[in-house]
Structure formats: structure tokens, C-alpha cells
Amino acid sequence: MPIPDPPPIPAADPEALRTALPAVLRDTFDTEWVQVLDRAKQSHSLREIHELLNKWQHTAAMELRAPGSYQRLLDKAAQIESAGGRSSGVSIEDMRALIQRRMQAS
């Protein structure tokens, strides 16, 4: 059985994103959209608008592929934060040493 194609990624456009987002996330998007528009009016810069649309484009694509993934991500972040940080993580120094060993082995 062939693997189905993933859903298309919505355009980085407010209307397209609102359509692609599940109803539970639309209010959050709308709130952030209004805030970033207000800041853009003051700063005369579109940078934050582009950043917001990019963030929500990724979120919408993630939700289309795995519904509920955004909430799971938030839940995991809250769990890590409440535990005082990620305890099972590897330090950057240890990761660099591992990479160096693997590069020398090849």
C-alpha cells in the first residue's frame, strides 16, 4: 500500500492559515495577529508580521499532519519547565565530543 502524500503546506497568508488551523487554535492566532499588527504600525516594520506568519505556517502544517501536535508540544514544554528543565538532555560539550569521535571513526 503506497504511503499517502502529506497535506499541502498552507500559504503564509492570514486567511489561508486561519482556514488550515483547527478551531481551537484560531483564537490564539487571531490574538497574536492583532498584537503583531499593532506593533508593526508603531515600528513601521513588517519583520514581526513575517515571523508570525512563518510560525503559524509551520504550526498549521504540523497540525494538518498530526492533529493535536501543537497542544502536545505545549504540554511537553510545560512538563519540562515544571520539572526545572530537561533532565535527560545531553550537554553541548558531550554532544560535540560524540560527534568528534564519530567523525574520527569514519
Side-chain angles (χ1 to χ4, degrees):
M1 179 162 78
I3 298 173
D5 290 332
I9 295 173
D13 169 81
E15 186 176 0
L17 293 173
R18 286 192 89 258
T19 300
L21 287 169
V24 69
L25 293 179
R26 281 189 206 123
D27 288 342
T28 304
F29 172 81
D30 290 343
T31 299
E32 290 183 20
W33 178 246
V34 168
Q35 291 170 350
V36 80
L37 286 178
D38 288 342
R39 286 194 303 269
K41 288 176 192 175
Q42 297 301 312
S43 69
H44 301 283
S45 171
L46 297 176
R47 183 184 55 78
E48 284 190 69
I49 292 173
H50 292 294
E51 289 172 356
L52 180 82
L53 292 174
N54 182 268
K55 168 195 162 184
W56 282 100
Q57 184 180 36
H58 287 283
T59 302
M62 185 172 64
E63 282 294 316
L64 288 169
R65 290 187 177 120
S69 58
Y70 186 74
Q71 187 60 51
R72 288 191 296 277
L73 177 73
L74 293 178
D75 293 346
K76 182 66 174 175
Q79 177 188 17
I80 290 168
E81 190 174 82
S82 70
R86 188 171 184 92
S87 60
S88 63
V90 177
S91 74
I92 190 68
E93 293 81 18
D94 290 343
M95 187 56 66
R96 286 182 179 140
L98 176 63
I99 292 168
Q100 186 65 32
R101 285 193 305 272
R102 288 184 178 173
M103 288 175 64
Q104 289 172 349
S106 9

